[in-house]
Amino acid sequence: MAASADPASPAHCQPIDYYLAHSNATISSATYNAADPIAYLVICFSLRQSLLTFPLLQHTMAMRCFLLACSLVAIASAGNFYQDFDITWGDGRAKILNNGHLLALSLDKASGSGFQSKNEYLFGKIDMQIKLVPGNSAGTVTAYYLSSQGPTHDEIDFEFLGNLSGDPYTLHTNVFTRGKGNREMQFKLWFDPTKDFHTYSILWNPRHIIFMVDGAPIRDFKNLESRGIAFPKNQPMRIYSSLWNAEDWATRGGLIKTDWTKAPFVASYRNFNADACIKASGRPSCTPAKSGWWNQELDSASHARMRWVQKNYMIYNYCNDVKRFPQGLPPECSIA
């Protein structure tokens, strides 16, 4: 027997400004700013008392919805690496520089390095500017991704596979749902990602996961749960990044090994921005009040841009690999 829908699920709850409008709380428009976590907390405490004016049934549901709305704070965070990230491994090979505005990962023969976000996110638009390892980067991988934990984790991946000097990087993307991946798409970039910083973005809302490079969409993984295909929507994820040695497979299937005379290899990060829902406490649900990305999808111009990128720069698509899936391609591959 199917479980009944939770009346305080995100589909039934209202944005926090609904409760503000239906309460007797006196909060000025200057105070109400969902992008300001301090102001958001002020609203939450004010509403907690004013919701007592709801009729009994409305009060019960409204209080549950209110608790959900305040359990994940929707904020826009133009990041400082000291405030937003922890260096998790590398024994000093990862460094935060320029008063928190630059982070550098390095790799030598002894070890790579990595960092992770202090916060967990459930939906949002995440931007990071990265300058990849220059020169002969064969055998190295720079990974930048969102992930939850556990055997049924969700994950949204960018991985940059190094190459010989002068050869283009391979940008590897993947989506895991409930621990299952195998949804790889790979691209050659249309610029040199080692000469300057470029912006790599993930837009994740309840209907789409859109991968973007310098604002250009390259991949759109759609929510097809109505067709029985899992979609990441319940597990908050941290941001992770690492620079590590993968010479056994990263470059030409492992034929090209890492040249350790070129070490240390360095990748640099700046201008992190998260316009996203941050898990504070409680259930992993979110109903942001004012976030343009919540309902964002590709318009006709963006679709055309994505098709251009895929036509000219995509070098692998799991949906075309019939040899890999002899029992049939994954079901999402047959849905436009």
Side-chain angles (χ1 to χ4, degrees):
M1 179 176 177
S4 60
D6 183 351
S9 70
H12 294 83
C13 292
Q14 302 294 329
I16 198 167
D17 45 3
Y18 168 86
Y19 304 109
L20 180 61
H22 287 77
S23 73
N24 62 7
T26 304
I27 302 174
S28 69
S29 59
T31 302
Y32 174 49
N33 177 4
D36 182 344
I38 303 302
Y40 203 99
L41 290 175
V42 171
I43 295 168
C44 288
F45 281 112
S46 298
L47 286 176
R48 181 177 180 274
Q49 293 302 317
S50 63
L51 283 171
L52 295 175
T53 63
F54 275 67
L56 179 59
L57 178 60
Q58 286 185 316
H59 161 68
T60 302
M61 292 178 62
M63 184 61 77
R64 292 182 65 194
C65 289
F66 153 74
L67 291 172
L68 290 180
C70 291
S71 70
L72 280 93
V73 182
I75 74 166
S77 170
N80 180 289
F81 285 105
Y82 284 121
Q83 297 174 359
D84 296 323
F85 293 93
D86 292 318
I87 293 172
T88 50
W89 64 285
D91 195 22
R93 291 172 178 81
K95 298 183 184 298
I96 298 175
L97 308 166
N98 295 356
N99 296 317
H101 297 295
L102 181 71
L103 190 151
L105 295 182
S106 66
L107 163 69
D108 57 35
K109 197 168 186 178
S111 178
S113 52
F115 63 88
Q116 71 179 40
S117 63
K118 296 178 185 292
N119 293 315
E120 293 178 279
Y121 303 90
L122 184 71
F123 304 127
K125 185 173 183 292
I126 310 293
D127 304 312
M128 183 77 81
Q129 290 193 336
I130 307 174
K131 183 162 67 172
L132 297 174
V133 174
N136 183 357
S137 59
T140 71
V141 171
T142 305
Y144 164 60
Y145 58 101
L146 288 163
S147 183
S148 58
Q149 297 296 310
T152 58
H153 75 290
D154 295 334
E155 189 172 322
I156 305 168
D157 289 347
F158 277 114
E159 289 187 310
F160 304 90
L161 313 184
N163 217 328
L164 295 170
S165 298
D167 290 343
Y169 264 78
T170 296
L171 170 54
H172 175 101
T173 67
N174 203 354
V175 177
F176 286 73
T177 57
R178 301 177 188 170
K180 180 182 179 297
N182 299 327
R183 298 185 177 98
E184 298 90 347
M185 290 185 179
Q186 294 184 340
F187 305 80
K188 295 297 186 185
L189 293 171
W190 52 95
F191 53 85
D192 184 345
T194 73
K195 296 296 186 184
D196 203 350
F197 287 88
H198 292 268
T199 303
Y200 303 93
S201 305
I202 295 168
L203 190 153
W204 171 34
N205 65 30
R207 295 193 297 166
H208 297 269
I209 295 170
I210 302 173
F211 295 77
M212 291 179 283
V213 177
D214 288 338
I218 64 171
R219 178 178 185 179
D220 183 3
F221 184 81
K222 299 177 181 178
N223 185 336
L224 299 172
E225 288 183 303
S226 62
R227 307 290 188 92
I229 299 163
F231 185 85
K233 68 173 187 179
N234 295 317
Q235 300 185 53
M237 297 192 253
R238 294 188 192 275
I239 300 166
Y240 297 87
S241 192
S242 58
L243 175 57
W244 52 288
N245 175 33
E247 65 178 1
D248 290 341
W249 63 271
T251 306
R252 300 184 190 175
L255 293 177
I256 308 298
K257 303 299 183 183
T258 305
D259 182 356
W260 293 111
T261 67
K262 307 297 184 183
F265 304 98
V266 177
S268 302
Y269 302 74
R270 73 179 188 188
N271 291 348
F272 164 71
N273 187 76
D275 184 0
C277 295
I278 295 178
K279 182 182 177 184
S281 63
R283 295 172 51 181
S285 305
C286 183
T287 308
K290 297 179 179 179
S291 296
W293 50 262
W294 183 258
N295 293 310
Q296 188 173 339
E297 58 186 16
L298 298 182
D299 58 19
S300 58
S302 298
H303 267 293
R305 176 66 168 166
M306 184 175 69
R307 286 194 298 268
W308 178 85
V309 171
Q310 293 182 351
K311 178 181 178 181
N312 292 282
Y313 295 99
M314 187 165 63
I315 60 172
Y316 178 80
N317 182 353
Y318 74 108
C319 282
N320 296 332
D321 196 343
V322 293
K323 291 183 179 179
R324 182 181 177 190
F325 301 102
Q327 305 303 316
L329 293 171
E332 65 266 21
C333 296
S334 62
I335 303 172

